Amino acid sequence: GAGVSQSPSNKVTEKGKDVELRCDPISGHTALYWYRQSLGQGLEFLIYFQGNSAPDKSGLPSDRFSAERTGGSVSTLTIQRTQQEDSAVYLCASSLRDRVDFGSTFGSGTRLTVV
Amino acid sequence: AQSVSQHNHHVILSEAASLELGCNYSYGGTVNLFWYVQYPGQHLQLLLKYFSGDPLVKGIKGFEAEFIKSKFSFNLRKPSVQWSDTAEYFCAVNGDGGATNKLIFGTGTLLAVQP
């Protein structure tokens, strides 16, 4: 597609349930990033994928968070046993090269609300 | 740890006024610097970036930013704002000259331009 596609755009879930968020990057973009934007805060780095290399998971806030990227394209961010503090907008971005200084293209995000 | 500070959380200007949004970062090494913009209802877009060369960087829509290494600053400027510049602006830094692919974002500045 022309841009980074994320689904669903909105998700309301009950505390304790698991959720999966999907990101479809721009075709040909080898690097994929997940960020989280909480109310009143900046974007928080979560995880980075580059080709077949091991992902940089250093930003994942707890072991309830995991992500995978199948076939070097689509990525899924999974949050297990959701908590209210997980409520945020989850943004996915992709870039053409493996260097972030080329700039990333962001998706519209998934707004997650945990009730 | 790297951090980015945006001192102005909310700025209100009249059309044709000049704009300067502050951004300071804490990292002593080589940095790549970015400004992203998020217009109402739209996704994050790259406004401009600096990674080497002329410290005065010109971006889209008449925006520019100046990298002042001695002040650890990368302030965004525009000589005359328009109503269509109403958006949220995020400063971001990538340390180690691109060796790491994480972007560290500031908390954002919400700009409202009154017609």
Side-chain angles (χ1 to χ4, degrees):
Chain A
V4 177
S5 178
Q6 291 188 247
S7 61
S9 55
N10 279 285
K11 176 71 176 178
V12 179
T13 189
E14 291 181 353
K15 178 181 173 181
K17 294 284 179 74
D18 298 351
V19 295
E20 284 190 352
L21 312 179
R22 177 188 167 104
C23 172
D24 201 342
I26 292 174
S27 178
H29 278 195
T30 57
L32 186 148
Y33 313 79
W34 282 98
Y35 289 87
R36 177 169 70 173
Q37 185 176 17
S38 303
L39 188 64
Q41 300 192 23
L43 280 76
E44 174 189 11
F45 168 82
L46 297 177
I47 188 169
Y48 160 69
F49 294 91
Q50 171 53 40
N52 295 321
S53 302
D56 178 350
K57 304 180 182 180
S58 60
L60 294 178
S62 76
D63 58 9
R64 296 187 294 105
F65 287 73
S66 62
E68 61 178 23
R69 188 179 185 191
T70 53
S73 181
V74 172
S75 177
T76 302
L77 177 69
T78 301
I79 309 174
Q80 296 178 309
R81 305 181 303 281
T82 52
Q83 303 294 312
Q84 287 186 329
E85 61 262 29
D86 299 335
S87 296
V89 176
Y90 289 81
L91 293 169
C92 176
S94 68
S95 63
L96 183 59
R97 303 285 186 92
D98 58 356
R99 286 172 57 97
V100 71
D101 56 352
F102 283 92
S104 300
T105 301
F106 282 80
S108 298
T110 294
R111 182 175 297 278
L112 175 67
T113 304
V114 181
V115 298
Chain B
Q2 298 175 47
S3 65
V4 177
S5 298
Q6 291 183 244
H7 313 296
N8 315 105
H9 299 294
H10 197 181
V11 174
I12 301 173
L13 294 173
S14 298
E15 277 194 311
S18 64
L19 169 73
E20 181 160 2
L21 302 182
C23 173
N24 288 90
Y25 63 92
S26 65
Y27 183 73
T30 304
V31 291
N32 298 320
L33 297 155
F34 306 80
W35 276 97
Y36 280 85
V37 60
Q38 188 169 26
Y39 297 102
Q42 297 188 28
H43 58 270
L44 272 171
Q45 302 172 45
L46 181 66
L47 198 56
L48 49 79
K49 60 185 179 182
Y50 167 84
F51 51 93
S52 65
D54 189 343
L56 184 61
V57 179
K58 295 192 183 300
I60 60 172
K61 304 186 180 184
F63 286 91
E64 64 179 32
E66 185 174 12
F67 169 49
I68 303 179
K69 189 174 181 180
S70 61
K71 295 184 178 180
F72 295 87
S73 70
F74 190 57
N75 291 357
L76 181 70
R77 300 193 295 248
K78 186 171 183 178
S80 176
V81 295
Q82 301 173 317
W83 177 78
S84 58
D85 293 325
T86 294
E88 191 160 17
Y89 294 81
F90 294 91
C91 181
V93 64
N94 158 243
D96 293 321
T100 171
N101 284 286
K102 294 180 227 182
L103 280 176
I104 308 299
F105 283 85
T107 53
T109 297
L110 194 58
L111 171 66
V113 180
Q114 299 175 332

